[in-house]
Amino acid sequence: MMKNSYPLIWCTFFVFLSILVYGQEDKKVTAKIESSMVENQIKLKAIVTNGTPIYKELNYLLISIKKDFGGNLSNNKQSGKFSINPNEVKTLSETNINLEKKDALKAFLFIKDEETQKLIAKDSLELNNDLFKKKVAKIEEEVFYELSGLTIDETKSKVGKDFYDLFYIQYSQLPDKSNSVVTISELPIRGTNGQINVEIDDKIVYSFLTNPSEDYLKEQLSATFKYIKDFNAKKNLIKNEFIY
């Protein structure tokens, strides 16, 4: 009778372990752009939630870009340092933007750790995004210069974090970085392995299965930089187009 109970015990153990590891995802800092429309004006509110049990010193950057029907661009940027207590929800800033029906808007909120300068949370909002695909002025390069080199860690396991640390050290030393945020995320799959995704512009440019071998991680690191280079090269072929 006891022999038949062993598979059930092990199954229960692995289910509990998976919940313990991947359930930590909720205990993190999250960023949110809330919007409300009143007549021809949109109000953007930057909100951060500290879902961890730790007091934090952070920085935020809120950028909004509007393109009117005539193709003209205007932008607004708000940034600053702030502190947040455990389990606190804080409004960082509010901004009002006049927006006609044929206007397009993109807004981005980034939260960085004050000490390490690593990006730990982000959110975005897009309205009438198709209008940005038309040729526009070169102002977007100036606006998004501050995004150069930003990375975000969304890994969950020790192997995932080991890879992110290897990536961050090498990527931060590059002289020329993309004006886009690079996200390293991790997804659970069957068994004990996970899947690491490398994302730019919210597009997965490379992915691989986790493996604790240091040589394996270094091989994946080399492949990651190759795919990032190829992705950025293709982006650079598209001139005078807003891409994020």
Side-chain angles (χ1 to χ4, degrees), residues 49-61:
T49 301
N50 182 10
T52 75
I54 302 172
Y55 169 87
K56 292 183 177 291
E57 297 279 350
L58 305 172
N59 284 296
Y60 82 92
L61 172 64

Side-chain angles (χ1 to χ4, degrees), residues 172-215:
S172 61
Q173 295 175 351
L174 294 178
D176 298 318
K177 304 179 185 67
S178 171
N179 290 344
S180 299
V181 178
V182 179
T183 302
I184 309 296
S185 62
E186 183 176 1
L187 296 174
I189 59 174
R190 290 183 178 180
T192 58
N193 289 332
Q195 177 177 304
I196 302 293
N197 293 329
V198 181
E199 303 176 40
I200 302 179
D201 298 344
D202 294 326
K203 298 178 180 66
I204 298 177
V205 299
Y206 183 60
S207 63
F208 60 92
L209 298 180
T210 57
N211 186 311
S213 169
E214 184 177 352
D215 291 338

Side-chain angles (χ1 to χ4, degrees), residues 4 56 62 67 72 83 101 124 140 162 191 195 209 227:
N4 294 333
K56 292 183 177 291
L62 176 64
K67 175 177 175 290
N72 300 310
S83 61
K101 289 184 178 180
S124 61
E140 71 273 9
D162 287 344
Q195 177 177 304
L209 298 180
Y227 281 98

Side-chain angles (χ1 to χ4, degrees), residues 11 30 53 106 117 136 239:
C11 181
T30 58
K106 284 179 179 275
Q117 289 300 299
V136 295
K239 298 181 180 180

